C-alpha cells in the first residue's frame, strides 16, 4: 500500500485550513462533519466560509500565512492557490510533526483526504493515493449504491448491544458467530426496512437462545482459481470472510489470500516438487482436528479442489471422522490460463474434445494412456508438467503426434506476471532453454494453440510490481 488507511478522531480538536477559497470550503465541510474545531487562516474568505465565520462556526485568522501560526493543531490542510506557499506550509508542519495534507499535491504532504461514504457510525473511505480523485469519486458513487443508508442504523444498534453481548458470550469466536448471524439475517433486514423495535426484539430473542459453540465446526474446501482474484465465486468469498482458520496452498494467489477475514489464523501447507511443508495425510488430519475444535476452516486451494487438487482425499478423511464440509468449485488452471492466453480449448475447426492430465513425474516415469493422448482433433492440457516436458514430447511423437503440433506454455496464467511461450513439439525445448519459464506453468498441446496470436486479449504488466494479481511465492508465510 502507498498509504496506511486510518481514521482520525478530530472531534472538538483544533484543525487548521490555510486558504480561503472554494477548495478550502470543501475541506472545511469534511472537518466540521467530523466534529473538528476549524481554524481558517486567510486574508480573504469565499462566501461560504465567510458565512460560517460570521456565525461563529469557524475561527477566522485574518492574515497571510506565517510559520508562527502553526500551533498545536491536530492536522493542517494547505489549500492556498499558490503551490510554493503550500510546500512551505507542508515543510513547516512536518517539522512540527503535524499531519498535513496539500490539495492537488499528495506527495508534498503526509496524508490525503479520501472520498467518503458516510453511514455513521459506519464510514467507508476510498482513495487512489492522489493519482485520480475522479476515479475515487466514481468508486465512491458505486459504493453509495451498494451500501444502504440503514447500515448507519445497524451500526448504532450493534453499538448499543455490544457490551450486553460481550457479557453474555465471553468467547470471542462465539461473539463473532453471533454477530455474523445478526448482521446477515432477519435483524438486519428489519433495520433496513425501518422496523427498529422489531429488530431489537428479534436481537434479544436471538441472544437468549444462542448456544455457544463448544462442539463441531465445519470445513470449506474453496477453489481459489488460477490467480486473478476477480475469478472467485460469490460463495467462496462469503465463506472466506467467515473463516476462523485458513489452510492454504503454495499456488494460492496473494490477493486471493488477502480476501480471507483478516483475523483468521493462516496455516501454510504448500507442496513443491520434492519439498512439502506438510504431508497430505497430515493436512487431512489437521483439517479434521481444527473443525473438531469448533472452528470454521477454509481449505484454500489454487484452481479447483477436485481437479488435481487432492480435495477428494481431504473430504474422504473428513467424512470418515464425521466432520461437516462443503466444497466450493473454482476456475481450474486449464480454463483460466487458456482463456487469458486466447487459446480456446475446443473449437469446431480444430478440437472436438479436451483432456486434462497431470504431468507430474513419479519415479522418473509417467503412466499415461499415450495412445489416447495421441488421437487427432483434441486438446491436451498438462498440469505440473514443466519438469517432465522432454518426456511428454518424446512420448507424444513416439505415439504418432506430428513434431509440428503446436504447443503453448502459460506461466502464472491470469496474473499480471503471465507469460505465454509458443512453438511446436519439435522446437519448444529450444524456447524453454532460451526463456527459462518457471512453475507454475501449464502446458497446452493441440492445433488450437495456433489461434493464440489472433485471439490473445489479456496483457499483463511487463513491469508489474508484486500486488494486484501476484501469486504467493513458494513457501511464503503471510
Amino acid at each position: 500500500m502507498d498509504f496506511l488507511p486510518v481514521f482520525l478522531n478530530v472531534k472538538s480538536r483544533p484543525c487548521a485550513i490555510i486558504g480561503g477559497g472554494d477548495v478550502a470550503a470543501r475541506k472545511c465541510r469534511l472537518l466540521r462533519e467530523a466534529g473538528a474545531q476549524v481554524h481558517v487562516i486567510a486574508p480573504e474568505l469565499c462566501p461560504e466560509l465567510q458565512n460560517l465565520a460570521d456565525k461563529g462556526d469557524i475561527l477566522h485568522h485574518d492574515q497571510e500565512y506565517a510559520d508562527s501560526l502553526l500551533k498545536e493543531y491536530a492536522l493542517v490542510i494547505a489549500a492556498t492557490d499558490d503551490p510554493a506557499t503550500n510546500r512551505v506550509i507542508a515543510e513547516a508542519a512536518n517539522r512540527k510533526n503535524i499531519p498535513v495534507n496539500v490539495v492537488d499535491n499528495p506527495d508534498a504532504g503526509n496524508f490525503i483526504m479520501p472520498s467518503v461514504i458516510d453511514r455513521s457510525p459506519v464510514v467507508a473511505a476510498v482513495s487512489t493515493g492522489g493519482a485520480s480523485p475522479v476515479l475515487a469519486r466514481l468508486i465512491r458513487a458505486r459504493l453509495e449504491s451498494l451500501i444502504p443508508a440503514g447500515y448507519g442504523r445497524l451500526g448504532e444498534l450493534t453499538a448499543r448491544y455490544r457490551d450486553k453481548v460481550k457479557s453474555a458470550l465471553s468467547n470471542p469466536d462465539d461473539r463473532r458467530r453471533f454477530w455474523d448471524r445478526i448482521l446477515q439475517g432477519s435483524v438486519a433486514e428489519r433495520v433496513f426496512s425501518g422496523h427498529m423495535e422489531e429488530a431489537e426484539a428479534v436481537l434479544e430473542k436471538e441472544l437468549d437462545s444462542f448456544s455457544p459453540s463448544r462442539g463441531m465446526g465445519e470445513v470449506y474446501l474453496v477453489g481459489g482459481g488460477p490467480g486473478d482474484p476477480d475469478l472467485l465465486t460469490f460463495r467462496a468469498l462469503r465463506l472466506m470472510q467467515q473463516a476462523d482458520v485458513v489452510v492454504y496452498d503454495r499456488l494460492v494467489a496473494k490477493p486471493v489470500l488477502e480476501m480471507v477475514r483478516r483475523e483468521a489464523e493462516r496455516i501454510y501447507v504448500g507442496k513443491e516438487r520434492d519439498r512439502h511443508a506438510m504431508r497430505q495425510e497430515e493436512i487431512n488430519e489437521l483439517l479434521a482436528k481444527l473443525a473438531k475444535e469448533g472452528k470454521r476452516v477454509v481449505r484454500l486451494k489454487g484452481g479447483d479442489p477436485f481437479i488435481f487438487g487432492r480435495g477428494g482425499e481431504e473430504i474422504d478423511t473428513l467424512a470418515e471422522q464425521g466432520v461437516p464440509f462443503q466444497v466450493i468449485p473454482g476456475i481450474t488452471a486449464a480454463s483460466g490460463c487458456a482463456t487469458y492466453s486466447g487459446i480456446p480449448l475446443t473449437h469446431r475447426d480444430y478440437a472436438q474434445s479436451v483432456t486434462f492430465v497431470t504431468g507430474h513425474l513419479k519415479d522418473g516415469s509417467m503412466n499415461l494412456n499415450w495412445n489416447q493422448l495421441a488421437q487427432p482433433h483434441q486438446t491436451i492440457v498438462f498440469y505440473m508438467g514443466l519438469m517432465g516436458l522432454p518426456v511428454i514430447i518424446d512420448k507424444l511423437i513416439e505415439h504418432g503426434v506430428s513434431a509440428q503440433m503446436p504447443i503453448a506454455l502459460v506461466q502464472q496464467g491470469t496474473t499480471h506476471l503471465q507469460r505465454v511461450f509458443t512453438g511446436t513439439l519439435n522446437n519448444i525445448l529450444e524456447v524453454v532453454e532460451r526463456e527459462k519459464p518457471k512453475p507454475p506453468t501449464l502446458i497446452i498441446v493441440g492445433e488450437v494453440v495456433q489461434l493464440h496470436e489472433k485471439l490473445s486479449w489479456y496483457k499483463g504488466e511487463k513491469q508489474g510490481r508484486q500486488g494486484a494479481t501476484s501469486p504467493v511465492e513458494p513457501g511464503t508465510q503471510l
Side-chain angles (χ1 to χ4, degrees):
M1 295 185 294
D2 294 327
F3 290 86
L4 176 67
V6 296
F7 288 86
L8 296 178
N9 182 359
V10 296
K11 194 175 297 293
S12 300
R13 301 186 66 192
C15 299
I17 300 175
I18 295 93
D22 292 336
V23 173
R26 290 199 299 271
K27 304 300 183 183
C28 180
R29 285 176 223 145
L30 285 173
L31 290 177
R32 293 186 65 239
E33 288 174 3
Q37 184 187 89
V38 180
H39 295 239
V40 178
I41 302 170
E44 296 182 7
L45 299 179
C46 68
E48 180 179 343
L49 290 177
Q50 187 62 60
N51 182 50
L52 292 172
D54 292 342
K55 293 190 297 183
D57 292 335
I58 63 173
L59 296 175
H60 178 211
H61 302 266
D62 186 3
Q63 59 189 105
E64 295 286 351
Y65 168 76
D67 287 354
S68 60
L69 296 173
L70 291 188
K71 301 177 182 179
E72 297 298 321
Y73 290 118
L75 60 83
V76 170
I77 298 176
T80 76
D81 55 6
D82 180 13
T85 300
N86 287 342
R87 285 195 295 273
V88 169
I89 295 167
E91 291 169 0
N94 281 322
R95 287 195 298 271
K96 294 177 179 289
N97 292 319
I98 301 174
V100 59
N101 167 256
V102 179
V103 296
D104 296 330
N105 189 357
D107 293 335
N110 52 30
F111 81 92
I112 56 178
M113 301 287 279
S115 292
V116 175
I117 301 98
D118 186 4
R119 300 288 188 269
S120 294
V122 178
V123 178
V126 178
S127 171
T128 60
S132 177
V134 174
L135 177 58
R137 288 197 296 272
L138 290 173
I139 296 172
R140 183 194 69 187
R142 180 72 61 84
L143 292 175
E144 290 272 11
S145 66
L146 296 175
I147 303 175
Y151 271 103
R153 298 192 297 272
L154 189 59
E156 292 170 353
L157 177 64
T158 58
R160 291 201 303 274
Y161 277 84
R162 183 176 181 181
D163 289 342
K164 186 172 183 177
V165 171
K166 189 173 183 179
S167 176
L169 304 173
S170 59
N171 185 288
D173 289 338
D174 289 335
R175 290 198 298 272
R176 184 170 55 79
R177 291 189 180 95
F178 173 78
W179 285 121
D180 280 345
R181 183 172 176 176
I182 294 300
L183 297 176
Q184 299 183 65
S186 59
V187 172
E189 291 303 323
R190 284 171 168 81
V191 170
F192 294 152
S193 62
H195 296 85
M196 296 300 297
E197 291 183 2
E198 288 185 25
E200 290 200 41
V202 174
L203 192 154
E204 291 275 8
K205 183 178 179 180
E206 291 277 3
L207 183 57
D208 289 341
S209 62
F210 185 79
S211 298
S213 174
R214 296 291 184 268
M216 186 69 72
E218 189 170 5
V219 176
Y220 313 128
L221 266 69
V222 175
D228 188 341
D230 287 347
L231 300 180
L232 280 173
T233 66
F234 290 130
R235 187 177 186 85
L237 183 58
R238 184 173 72 252
L239 294 177
M240 288 162 64
Q241 286 293 309
Q242 297 176 12
D244 299 308
V245 184
V246 56
V247 179
Y248 67 98
D249 280 346
R250 179 176 66 92
L251 296 182
V252 174
K254 180 180 178 182
V256 172
L257 185 60
E258 289 174 345
M259 290 185 174
V260 175
R261 191 175 69 90
R262 288 194 178 276
E263 295 80 7
E265 178 185 358
R266 286 163 165 75
I267 301 176
Y268 175 74
V269 295
K271 296 187 286 292
E272 293 180 72
R273 179 180 173 84
D274 299 328
R275 187 172 69 180
H276 295 182
M278 188 178 292
R279 294 186 302 110
Q280 185 61 53
E281 294 77 13
E282 295 173 324
I283 296 173
N284 302 347
E285 292 298 328
L286 174 65
L287 297 176
K289 173 180 175 292
L290 292 170
K292 289 177 180 178
E293 293 172 356
K295 296 177 179 178
R296 289 181 289 189
V297 184
V298 162
R299 174 66 172 108
L300 188 57
K301 295 173 170 289
D304 181 274
F306 278 9
I307 299 182
F308 304 122
R310 306 189 75 167
E313 298 174 40
E314 292 173 353
I315 64 170
D316 188 34
T317 298
L318 298 176
E320 286 180 355
Q321 300 191 26
V323 175
F325 61 86
Q326 298 181 38
V327 182
I328 297 84
I331 293 179
T332 188
S335 177
C337 295
T339 300
Y340 274 55
S341 303
I343 302 173
L345 293 178
T346 61
H347 189 287
R348 287 191 299 176
D349 295 332
Y350 300 102
Q352 287 74 54
S353 65
V354 58
T355 301
F356 299 165
V357 295
T358 177
H360 189 63
L361 290 170
K362 185 175 183 179
D363 300 328
S365 64
M366 290 186 185
N367 296 318
L368 300 176
N369 188 340
W370 295 106
N371 286 324
Q372 177 185 340
L373 297 179
Q375 296 302 307
H377 308 303
Q378 67 171 325
T379 304
I380 314 166
V381 180
F382 290 90
Y383 287 67
M384 301 167 285
L386 188 59
M387 296 296 295
L389 184 59
V391 175
I392 291 172
I393 292 170
D394 288 344
K395 288 294 185 180
L396 289 176
I397 293 176
E398 176 186 328
H399 287 78
V401 178
S402 169
Q404 301 306 312
M405 178 64 72
I407 181 173
L409 309 182
V410 185
Q411 175 181 288
Q412 295 193 16
T414 79
T415 78
H416 75 257
L417 300 175
Q418 174 176 298
R419 299 178 69 193
V420 182
F421 310 101
T422 59
T424 64
L425 294 181
N426 195 42
N427 65 20
I428 193 63
L429 292 180
E430 298 173 12
V431 176
V432 170
E433 178 65 25
R434 181 176 67 250
E435 300 294 344
K436 295 180 171 51
K438 298 178 177 60
T441 293
L442 196 80
I443 301 170
I444 305 174
V445 179
E447 294 178 352
V448 291
V449 171
Q450 60 190 296
L451 295 171
H452 162 68
E453 292 296 334
K454 180 180 179 181
L455 303 182
S456 179
W457 60 273
Y458 176 73
K459 302 295 181 186
E461 302 175 37
K462 292 183 179 179
Q463 301 298 326
R465 62 183 179 177
Q466 197 77 0
T469 52
S470 299
V472 174
E473 293 297 324
T476 297
Q477 296 277 3
L478 296 182

